[in-house]
Amino acid sequence: MKSEPIATEISLEKPYEWTGLRSDFATEGDDATARVNNDTALEHGLERAISALTHDQHADGYWCYELEADCTIPAEYILMMHFMDEIDAPLQERLARYLRRHQNEDGGWPLFEGGPADISCTVKAYYALKLAGDLPDAPHMRRARDCVLAAGGAARANVFTRIALAQFGQVPWRAVPFTPIEVMLFPRWFAFHLSKVAYWSRTVMVPLLILCSLKRMARNPHGIGVRELFITAPEEETDYFPVRSAANRVLIRLDAVGRRAERFIPRWLRRRAIARGEAWFTARLNGHGGLGAIFPAMVNAYEALDCLGYPADHPYRRTAREAIDKLLIEHADEAYCQPCVSPVWDSVLAALALQETGQARAIDAAERALQWLAGEQLLDAPGDWREQHPTLPGGGWAFQFRNDYYPDLDDTGAVGWAMYRSADARYTEARERAARWVAGMQSSNGGYGAFDADNTHDYLNEIPFADHGALLDPPTADVSARCAILLNYASRENPAYREPLSRVLEYLYAQQEEDGAWFGRWGTNYIYGTWSVLAALEVCGVDPQHPAIRRAVAWLKRAQRTDGGWGETNLSYFEPELRGQADASTSFHTAWALLGLMAAGEAHAPEARRGIDHLLATQDTEGLWHEPQFSAPGFPRVFYLKYHGYSKYFPLWALARYRTLTGSAA
């Protein structure tokens, strides 16, 4: 097996002003001078990037960068304030400024920077601004309204938007799927059961089922509505559920039957189901981490607690609201709300980048991060994953500061990777526990989902509630790649891990697309997926001449842009033929492509040199990179994210890796 080399320490005595790498040496006599200049540029670029990253490290050892989503989240925060009649006017105005600034020229709001208008996001943003006091005749509101009407009106918005509209009395309850709380009483063998959907679906659904079953209405103290967003009057609209497939047609009809039968549900049965749902979500309130540690679930829980009669000063209510407010990012004149926080993910990726540099202070910062991470490992905490694996010892990490019920495989694989690279004996037990947990969470096809094994009940994505198509957590190549890295390291010490490692590698080979790329479920998109798998194949000692690796290398080289960088639009989730394409290069896509090429033995390729040139040419004087593009899907085609840390640690990682593999020669 190949080991991963670590560079020697960087030592710089004075700052350097970047003037560009030379990739075309004019004469043999110029070569030595160009090489010295290139080496100096790379060294100083690395030094600035290290300084910038270590400057952001928290005193406790972790990193936690902003995690920005589309305007649905800040809009929902305003809706929540009016739902509860808990309106903070100054905060509301700062949120409204953020919404106005992110409106497209066509009047709508996109799911990601530079994307087309999305009707559901636009309806919520418009409603939030109207609640915040924007007049419907204001130019930006007229443009938003025209955008919604041109897309078919608010009746065409998604299920979650229509549920919010029903709660505010803007559509009848028949406009939303039949979501009875009695599903809490279904046995595990039934076609629908909470354990059969993803963790994020469970945590969002349970309190929402209570709200919808009790038909809880928003307080809406100012009585503001948005009937102007409908082409047909909401009470006259008959087409709230466009048919997506033959199976969906059948389930829509069953949904209608269930709605008509709801009045026959005995009151005692409903009370029992509500009590079951209440017990389920209150057990998972997760302190100041919030239910599921994700904003939609937290808001539903907060509103459900009020609906169930918990007073405002009850510890559950108070803590639930504090958890929500911890997600706010407030600036002097505007604010937005994050969907969650990412300290474990940010910290381990920053640590991996710093480890690659070999620089003493960088290694020290990485070690402090690993020490913090060691204390965050979830060992004996309860978790939904234990329903499938009751005898499996814990050993995973969550994504957030606290999310005890829901450790994830991706973070765990990455933390284990960094701990094995550290080789510090203090992490021996932690990484062994992580490897054992990962091996035990393998799906039957050899791959790994993010939070559960075999969460592949595809028929559930056909139910009317699941029009977002993201109800499940099936295995994916990117998560599986991180798990393969951890299993490979563990197998060097314990042969028992070779069998699950072999199975996950077979899964990864099977997932490769015909053109050589791999799909990226948790990062945009095929460039991310391809880097993830190539990194795993390198650590696992796969020959760089393996046909799968050569196909991936060829695809990455074809995807390189004329400026030397790489980029990929989030539209590739809608149109796969756009994979590896974008209007502009980004630092993180360029870093992923470079890391992928270098993992495949292409460090000396001209494409790698041009990519490094691009990174150094776009680095600012503080050692960082900045771009507006969103870097990942929360749910492909539905919800997207901008990890603010991706432009800080991934370019550094690529520069350091290049220096390691080329002996400081650019």
Side-chain angles (χ1 to χ4, degrees), residues 94-117:
R94 291 197 295 277
L95 291 164
R97 288 194 190 109
Y98 178 90
L99 293 175
R100 295 183 201 112
R101 183 168 65 85
H102 285 82
Q103 187 177 19
N104 277 354
E105 285 297 321
D106 64 6
W109 277 265
L111 295 178
F112 50 87
E113 183 72 23

Side-chain angles (χ1 to χ4, degrees), residues 188-202:
R188 274 185 74 91
W189 55 261
F190 202 69
F192 181 91
H193 188 269
L194 281 183
S195 65
K196 293 180 177 176
V197 300
Y199 117 75
W200 56 82
S201 299
R202 277 173 245 151

